[in-house]
Amino acid sequence: NLSLKLGDIIGNAQTYIWSFNVSAGGAQTLGNCSTIAANGSYILNQSISSAATCMYIQASNVSLDCKGYTITYGTAGGNSAKGINVSSTGTLSGTLVKGCIITKNISSGSDSYGILLSNVISSNITNNIIYTNGSTKSYGIYVTSSSSNNIISNNTVFTKGQSANVGINVGATGSNTIISNKVHTNSFGGGYSNNWGIQLATSSSNIVKFNEITTNGTGKNYGIRISAGSGNNLTSNIVKANGTDGLNNGVLLLAGTK
């Protein structure tokens, strides 16, 4: 807050005081889970928490910088909780999400996503740390529904859950770049199957490069899993696929993949 004394300026004996909420670069500060419905820059000024989904971004050209603060979501343990939900009935573009620590600690609830991009183009998700948990379908970052030309870079993702835990999941879309991320599936406890570092499902023309992926669990632990789609480029990824049972593959190409 900035206080201004008018009397100090004009020599008036009477003093008036105004308080202003000032943010660097004109960014708006957020101290609670919110819905962002207008373009602009937003920053967190403290850690925030929600029983279900915490942040909604429903406008184009939005920058959200968490400044290293934590977003905790899904504390009620219900289904379909998201840390940050970037979606709209129309197409969104120009979204930037950076500097966030996103976490879900509750082991119940399916379809728990750290960050969801749905109908989002030309956006950037970078330098975030994500911890997911739940009963099934715990995704760190989920890019879906015609989301294209997005860059997912320099994120660190830890997933945990009883089944279908995916660090970065790209489905029903294409032409995205997934670069220089560190993904650890089911690596901080638990011993379940179907842990996939990066999945491309019915998705084409994506670039996946310079990622470090470690999968762990019982069986069906895949570093990179591709089901259908064509023209995907996998370059210089480091993959370690571990498991107590069989079917642990660094890269798995399913039928229909070209």
Side-chain angles (χ1 to χ4, degrees):
N1 289 331
L2 173 65
S3 295
L4 174 63
K5 295 182 179 181
L6 183 61
D8 293 343
I9 297 175
I10 62 174
N12 194 320
Q14 190 171 5
T15 299
Y16 300 89
I17 299 177
W18 288 265
S19 293
F20 301 88
N21 193 5
V22 178
S23 300
Q28 301 181 55
T29 58
L30 299 174
N32 297 286
C33 293
S34 309
T35 296
I36 298 175
N39 62 14
S41 296
Y42 299 82
I43 60 174
L44 290 190
N45 61 3
Q46 64 180 5
S47 295
I48 56 179
S49 179
S50 174
T53 296
C54 182
M55 298 296 302
Y56 291 90
I57 297 178
Q58 299 177 345
S60 293
N61 300 314
V62 168
S63 170
L64 175 61
D65 185 353
C66 294
K67 297 293 184 180
Y69 287 110
T70 299
I71 293 175
T72 302
Y73 71 102
T75 60
N79 297 335
S80 302
K82 284 84 176 174
I84 301 175
N85 183 343
V86 187
S87 63
S88 179
T89 54
T91 300
L92 300 180
S93 64
T95 301
L96 170 63
V97 177
K98 68 176 183 178
C100 302
I101 301 173
I102 301 171
T103 183
K104 179 177 183 285
N105 299 316
I106 304 298
S107 60
S108 61
S110 66
D111 299 276
S112 300
Y113 313 146
I115 298 175
L116 170 66
L117 301 184
S118 179
N119 290 318
V120 178
I121 64 172
S122 303
S123 295
N124 194 346
I125 308 299
T126 187
N127 291 316
N128 303 287
I129 301 173
I130 301 171
Y131 300 87
T132 71
N133 202 348
S135 58
T136 185
K137 295 184 180 179
S138 298
Y139 304 158
I141 300 171
Y142 188 19
V143 183
T144 187
S145 299
S146 301
S147 296
S148 61
N149 297 311
N150 299 295
I151 299 174
I152 313 298
S153 65
N154 295 299
N155 302 284
T156 301
V157 180
F158 300 86
T159 70
K160 179 182 177 182
Q162 298 178 23
S163 181
N165 309 296
V166 185
I168 301 173
N169 192 8
V170 180
T173 182
S175 300
N176 297 286
T177 299
I178 304 170
I179 181 171
S180 300
N181 301 281
K182 295 182 179 180
V183 178
H184 309 267
T185 65
N186 211 6
S187 59
F188 60 107
Y192 301 103
S193 63
N194 296 296
N195 301 289
W196 309 330
I198 295 173
Q199 176 176 232
L200 307 179
T202 318
S203 185
S204 300
S205 302
N206 299 286
I207 297 173
V208 180
K209 64 181 181 180
F210 305 141
N211 300 284
E212 297 181 19
I213 304 167
T214 302
T215 68
N216 196 12
T218 52
K220 296 183 180 179
N221 303 292
Y222 309 133
I224 300 174
R225 182 181 189 270
I226 304 178
S227 59
S230 63
N232 293 297
N233 185 340
L234 312 182
T235 303
S236 299
N237 299 284
I238 299 174
V239 180
K240 298 178 182 179
N242 305 299
T244 57
D245 298 334
L247 299 176
N248 304 297
N249 303 101
V251 178
L252 177 68
L253 305 179
L254 298 178
T257 302
K258 300 177 181 181

